[in-house]
Amino acid sequence: MAFRIAQTFHAIGKLALAGAIGASLIAGDVAAQQKQPSPGSAKAIFGGVALPTQGPAQPYGFYAKGCMAGAVALPTDGPNWQAMRLSRNRRWGNPATIALLEQLSRDAAKFDGWPGLLVGDISQPRGGPMFNGHASHQIGLDADIWLTPMPSHRMSADERETLPFTTMLQKDAFLTINPNVWSDSRARLLMRAASYPQVERIFVNPAIKKKMCDTWTGDRTNLGKLRPEYGHDSHFHIRLKCPPGVAGCKAQAPVVAGDGCDKSLAWWFTKEPWAAPKPPKSGTKPVKPREVMVSDLPNACAAVLAAPSVASVRAATYGGASAAEALTVAPAAEPAAASDNALPAIGPVPDDKP
């Protein structure tokens, strides 16, 4: 199957037009997400909450339409990880997510030659829609991990805000991996993350998925968990399954059997996913997008917003006290700068199309 994808890629690899269209769509999507939300919108309300609720952890709704109670914070630093972009206040998640990130950081350092994780956005303190950057990450079961290895020193707050992202793609080439940046250790990191049974899927750029299909020679059992999606060229996005027995969590359809190195991947190397939207039919009034309100989310989300907060970040940090006090930064008053646009998941809500 991989050789068919290679043939397809070779045939359309010079689709500069498609690449340009894709870039413009991504830029447009990010610009749309960067608009300041209305004061009464779900984005504004959830984005303005500083602390999680008291009580047990509970995700409500779907990854792209929900909220969460009882979140815990990833400690700012660990032996093999550092949290990034602290001003966003998005290092909150279900305890299962935080535990998985800590386990991945240990295993990748011990077995895969990866010096440590740089962890990007997880979720807001009570989940819900974010005012910029993501369509999902709403129930505490999604997390972004940079494809940049952790440096050997403990970064300052400023460094964590300004460290640039490193794309795995070759400049001015359509969905082509840069051989001077990509490494075997990155491939091992991805497959290590996919190996955990609680991981539902991992979103990566289509070029990264193709690279893995073409070059991974180890056990391919979990290769199908790597799903191609827009963006994701400088980070990968881990999605956990709904915790067992949690009725309020809406699961995503399981990944189909196989390694994913088939026509579902080849589709990304055609013009179709990058084409501009078709104009509305003549005489049809365009539908104006409406902001998501709290009432559009699961009914439990209103109660989550009204619930009492934990006493402090320290009290809700997974595994004990946080190093956050030593890295205090002012909360971001504006959406993230344009230079940060490479990190968020961009494009449509991941749905394993086609």
Side-chain angles (χ1 to χ4, degrees), residues 102-144:
E102 294 196 6
Q103 181 181 1
L104 174 60
S105 74
R106 293 191 302 268
D107 292 347
K110 183 176 181 180
F111 302 114
D112 305 311
W114 193 254
L117 306 181
L118 295 182
V119 182
D121 289 356
I122 307 172
S123 291
Q124 298 176 138
R126 302 190 189 196
M130 299 180 183
F131 66 71
N132 69 326
H134 303 279
S136 58
H137 289 255
Q138 294 192 28
I139 59 175
L141 297 174
D142 296 281
D144 287 344

Side-chain angles (χ1 to χ4, degrees), residues 30-99:
V30 170
Q33 294 186 56
Q34 294 285 350
K35 292 179 180 178
Q36 196 72 20
S38 299
S41 68
K43 288 184 176 182
I45 294 172
F46 276 96
V49 179
L51 292 169
T53 67
Q54 300 173 16
Q58 172 72 51
Y60 295 105
F62 188 63
Y63 302 92
K65 188 178 181 181
C67 61
M68 66 170 166
V72 293
L74 176 75
T76 305
D77 295 280
N80 302 111
W81 78 83
Q82 295 187 45
M84 303 298 290
R85 306 306 196 237
L86 301 179
S87 67
R88 295 178 175 181
N89 197 26
R90 295 177 180 176
R91 58 190 176 96
W92 301 91
N94 187 282
T97 304
I98 307 305

Side-chain angles (χ1 to χ4, degrees), residues 63 141 197-201 225 239-244 249:
Y63 302 92
L141 297 174
Q198 62 268 47
V199 172
E200 174 73 32
R201 62 196 73 210
K225 288 186 181 181
R239 173 165 292 173
L240 272 67
K241 299 175 182 177
C242 286
C249 184

Side-chain angles (χ1 to χ4, degrees), residues 181-215:
V181 177
W182 184 254
S183 62
D184 291 342
S185 61
R186 289 179 170 88
R188 292 193 296 270
L189 174 64
L190 286 172
M191 293 306 292
R192 177 68 55 188
S195 71
Y196 303 113
Q198 62 268 47
V199 172
E200 174 73 32
R201 62 196 73 210
I202 296 173
F203 299 109
V204 296
N205 185 274
I208 294 175
K209 172 67 178 187
K210 180 182 180 297
K211 182 69 172 179
M212 295 295 293
C213 286
D214 291 348
T215 62

Side-chain angles (χ1 to χ4, degrees), residues 18-34 133 167 169 174-175 205-206 229-233 235 268 273-277 338 340-348:
I21 290 173
S24 66
L25 285 177
I26 290 172
D29 184 76
V30 170
Q33 294 186 56
Q34 294 285 350
T167 179
L169 302 184
F174 177 66
L175 292 185
N205 185 274
E229 186 52 72
Y230 296 97
H232 300 87
D233 57 289
H235 77 287
W268 288 96
W274 313 99
D340 285 351
N341 289 343
L343 180 62
I346 46 184

